[in-house]
Amino acid sequence: MMERLQGTGSKDEDEKVKDEDQEETVDEKIERLRMEIHYLFVQVREKLTNLPPITKPPVPAPLLELRRAIKEKDMERELLLEEQRASKVVEEYLQENPAILEKVDDCPICLEPIFDVDAAVTFYCCGKPTCGSCAEPLSAAGNDICPLCREEFPSDGESLSILRRKAAAGKAWAQCNLGRTFLHGSSGLEVDEQKAESLFRNAADQGYSQAQFLLGIIELDRNNTDHFEAAASQGHMSALGRLGIYYFIGLGVAKDDMKAVRLLTVSSELQTTDR
């Protein structure tokens, strides 16, 4: 202990203490992997040099192990570089579009932005949304009490009545969810696409991003990206991903591969943070 405090230990011990006290950064890890891969290639060259001139398969086992190690380390390094690239793309996108963080809903449980709206859950008792990560354990535990308003969860029959009542009162989240019920013909209702679209439009007019996204889905055959753009501007990452696909194939917008990759990267990365 005194040696560590006074710095009188060996060089190896000092390096070990340094490693324990300082966690390796991503850049340092990438550089370490690059050096390890280089060292493995040196070993491969040495072993190839020592082989008889006419030697062909089977390849010696030690050489196969070196090749396997190189492949694994190179893959790990490439993944780290891709994570860095994706993280930088997301950071730049949010800097260019700061209003997104102001418009997107925050989960009242974990307080993180809800970017993956498709996985989010809205409690009909109080109309508050939670991210998928927080909603999943609540569902698995079979809780009967809403963690937000402390009221009992309504039954299926009660949920439909609540949706109708809230939708009639102009609540965008209720209009959107009731529209989905008509769209899919669930909860005992018959499929009614016209009524569903009307409800989606009422909610979309209030700036409800999920309704804007669903309107975009309904109007796919019209090559209209306006609804997806409106939803994406509010942090709806599925809508942003759709725009990325459209830019990739040139549907309703000018084909732009670079923009497509950028939008798809942001969409994928931010939706992943919710899980």
Side-chain angles (χ1 to χ4, degrees):
M1 185 67 172
M2 290 299 295
E3 288 182 352
R4 289 180 61 179
L5 291 173
Q6 297 171 5
T8 57
S10 67
K11 183 177 179 181
D12 290 342
E13 289 174 340
D14 289 343
E15 289 296 327
K16 184 177 180 181
V17 171
K18 182 180 178 181
D19 291 341
E20 291 175 352
D21 293 342
Q22 184 174 355
E23 186 176 350
E24 189 177 41
T25 65
V26 174
D27 286 333
E28 289 170 344
K29 189 171 185 179
I30 291 173
E31 178 62 18
R32 174 176 58 76
L33 287 168
R34 188 188 69 79
M35 294 299 295
E36 289 178 357
I37 291 170
H38 173 74
Y39 176 68
L40 288 170
F41 270 119
V42 171
Q43 293 183 66
V44 170
R45 285 198 296 270
E46 290 175 351
K47 290 187 179 296
L48 288 174
T49 303
N50 295 330
L51 289 176
I54 312 179
T55 299
K56 286 289 183 182
V59 180
L63 191 55
L64 287 175
E65 286 298 323
L66 285 172
R67 288 179 177 176
R68 190 177 298 111
I70 289 173
K71 184 177 181 180
E72 291 175 355
K73 289 183 180 295
D74 195 43
M75 185 178 296
E76 184 181 359
R77 175 175 168 273
E78 289 296 326
L79 285 173
L80 286 171
L81 287 170
E82 176 58 20
E83 288 176 4
Q84 276 194 327
R85 182 199 69 82
S87 179
K88 184 176 181 181
V89 169
V90 171
E91 183 180 355
E92 290 176 349
Y93 182 82
L94 292 178
Q95 287 176 349
E96 294 170 8
N97 302 274
I100 285 179
L101 292 177
E102 298 175 4
K103 294 179 180 179
V104 71
D105 288 325
D106 290 335
C107 174
I109 297 177
C110 67
L111 305 181
E112 293 294 328
I114 303 176
F115 289 115
D116 192 355
V117 179
D118 292 331
V121 173
T122 299
F123 296 122
Y124 290 176
C125 46
C126 55
K128 295 178 181 177
T130 61
C131 69
S133 298
C134 291
E136 186 175 348
L138 292 172
S139 177
N143 291 339
D144 295 327
I145 303 297
C146 174
L148 306 178
C149 68
R150 309 309 297 171
E151 295 290 333
E152 285 190 15
F153 285 130
S155 64
D156 291 342
E158 292 172 334
S159 294
L160 183 57
S161 297
I162 291 173
L163 280 182
R164 287 183 180 278
R165 187 171 66 254
K166 298 284 187 180
K171 297 293 184 181
W173 67 267
Q175 291 171 339
C176 182
N177 281 280
L178 185 58
R180 295 178 71 170
T181 305
F182 278 110
L183 184 65
H184 301 297
S186 55
S187 299
L189 296 179
E190 293 185 3
V191 173
D192 190 332
E193 294 184 359
Q194 287 187 340
K195 186 169 289 187
E197 183 174 349
S198 175
L199 287 163
F200 291 153
R201 290 193 184 281
N202 290 338
D205 288 344
Q206 298 181 62
Y208 197 68
S209 65
Q210 180 69 348
Q212 293 167 338
F213 172 71
L214 292 171
L215 274 178
I217 297 294
I218 289 176
E219 296 182 359
L220 279 176
D221 58 336
R222 306 174 200 174
N223 296 342
N224 183 5
T225 63
D226 292 347
H227 297 305
F228 290 132
E229 289 173 357
S233 69
Q234 298 188 78
H236 196 297
M237 290 300 112
S238 291
L240 191 70
R242 284 276 182 171
L243 285 175
I245 294 173
Y246 284 6
Y247 275 106
F248 185 72
I249 62 179
L251 179 63
V253 291
K255 183 175 171 59
D256 189 333
D257 291 348
M258 292 294 291
K259 189 168 186 176
V261 170
R262 185 171 188 247
L263 297 184
L264 287 167
T265 297
V266 174
S267 172
S268 176
E269 287 295 303
L270 289 182
Q271 285 189 91
T272 304
T273 62
D274 281 2
R275 299 172 187 166

